[in-house]
């Protein structure tokens, strides 16, 4: 157990809908990262937050947004969902930017 | 800009054979490099990082700055090594923050 938790574990929703994925980092970790993992795209970095501020952006669609709250937990919001958004969404945390990342178990999103 | 390339999507080897998972990177400064492993249905976890120069589960990786490579090696593959392996680079970006880039991953399949 890495200490990073993600909810929900599984999510099934319809196209056009909006969902929110939640991540709680390890105690004391200031950085939170979001990744999308699909069969054909591999692991894609979406966005990073550090102590509440956006630090780096990867291949994140405009339909997606994220935030990190004062208690350091983070949420990833996915809207106007499409079939292609079906994937495993991982959250990771680290104490600092250069430190190793600890991954959560992921949220499996299925868009029907 | 930083880039991580893992040229092989799939690597199949027989049990007891040597393993080499390739990773090449592009980065203008001094990178910090990692190997992460993802066993079936489990979360990603750190396998090793180049600055610690350690051997984990029989795996080693040496940073070759001349060839900009960080290949992962193991002299004798075991069936339990079958997993997805990701190479990652952490480097400074303009703006004074560290960015982490993952490769697309190599699936290692050890044949009994």
């Amino acid at each position: 157990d890495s200490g990073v938790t993600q909810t929900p574990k599984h999510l099934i929703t319809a196209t056009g809908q909006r969902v929110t994925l939640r991540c709680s980092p390890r105690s004391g970790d200031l950085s939170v990262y979001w990744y999308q993992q699909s069969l054909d795209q591999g692991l894609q970095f979406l966005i990073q937050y550090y102590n509440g501020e956006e630090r780096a952006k990867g291949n994140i669609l405009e339909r997606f947004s994220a935030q990190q709250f004062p208690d350091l937990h983070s949420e990833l919001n996915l809207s106007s969902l499409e079939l292609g958004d079906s994937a495993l969404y991982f959250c990771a945390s680290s104490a600092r930017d250069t430190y190793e990342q600890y991954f959560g178990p992921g949220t499996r999103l299925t868009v029907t | 800009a930083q880039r991580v390339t893992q040229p092989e999507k799939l690597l199949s080897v027989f049990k007891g054979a040597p393993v080499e998972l390739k990773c090449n990177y592009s980065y203008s400064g001094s990178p910090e490099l990692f190997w992460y492993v993802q066993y079936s249905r489990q979360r990603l976890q750190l396998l090793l990082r180049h600055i610690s120069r350690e051997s984990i589960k029989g795996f080693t990786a040496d940073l070759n700055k001349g060839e900009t490579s960080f290949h992962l090696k193991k002299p004798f593959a075991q069936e339990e090594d079958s997993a997805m392996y990701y190479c990652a680079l952490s480097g400074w970006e303009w703006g004074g923050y560290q960015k982490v880039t993952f490769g697309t991953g190599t699936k290692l399949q050890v044949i009994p």
Side-chain angles (χ1 to χ4, degrees), chain A residues 1-2 4 35 37 42-43 48 55-56 90 97-98 100-101 103-105, chain B residues 9 32 34 36 38 43-44 46 49 86 90 96-98 100 102-104:
Chain A
D1 186 355
S2 66
V4 179
Y35 295 90
Q37 186 182 44
L43 193 66
Q48 178 199 356
R55 180 60 68 98
F90 283 108
D97 291 337
T98 60
E100 68 179 89
Q101 295 183 28
F103 281 78
Chain B
K9 269 195 168 181
E32 190 164 354
F34 307 82
Y36 284 82
Q38 185 180 26
R43 66 186 77 193
L44 274 87
L46 180 70
R49 54 194 302 185
Y86 291 92
S90 177
Y97 66 91
Q98 289 266 354
V100 179
F102 278 79
T104 50

Side-chain angles (χ1 to χ4, degrees), chain B residues 13 29 37 39 48 76 90 94 101 109:
Chain B
V13 301
V37 60
Y39 299 103
L48 52 80
F76 308 103
S90 177
W94 290 107
T101 302
Q109 183 181 57

Side-chain angles (χ1 to χ4, degrees), chain B residues 5-107:
Chain B
T5 304
Q6 293 180 252
E8 302 140 329
K9 269 195 168 181
L10 172 67
L11 181 65
S12 296
V13 301
F14 285 101
K15 178 182 171 181
V19 175
E20 183 178 54
L21 298 164
K22 290 184 168 52
C23 172
N24 289 90
Y25 67 90
S26 172
Y27 179 66
S28 55
S30 283
E32 190 164 354
L33 286 147
F34 307 82
W35 276 99
Y36 284 82
V37 60
Q38 185 180 26
Y39 299 103
S40 179
R41 299 183 181 278
Q42 294 185 27
R43 66 186 77 193
L44 274 87
Q45 55 188 287
L46 180 70
L47 182 61
L48 52 80
R49 54 194 302 185
H50 88 272
I51 60 170
S52 56
R53 300 185 65 81
E54 56 192 345
S55 172
I56 304 292
K57 299 185 179 183
F59 284 97
T60 58
D62 289 317
L63 177 59
N64 185 323
K65 290 188 176 181
E67 295 183 359
T68 60
S69 69
F70 188 56
H71 302 329
L72 183 68
K73 299 177 184 179
K74 185 170 182 177
F76 308 103
Q78 303 297 316
E79 288 180 64
E80 55 265 30
D81 296 330
S82 294
M84 194 76 176
Y85 291 81
Y86 291 92
C87 180
L89 177 154
S90 177
W92 288 101
E93 289 283 306
W94 290 107
Y97 66 91
Q98 289 266 354
K99 180 181 171 183
V100 179
T101 302
F102 278 79
T104 50
T106 297
K107 183 174 181 179

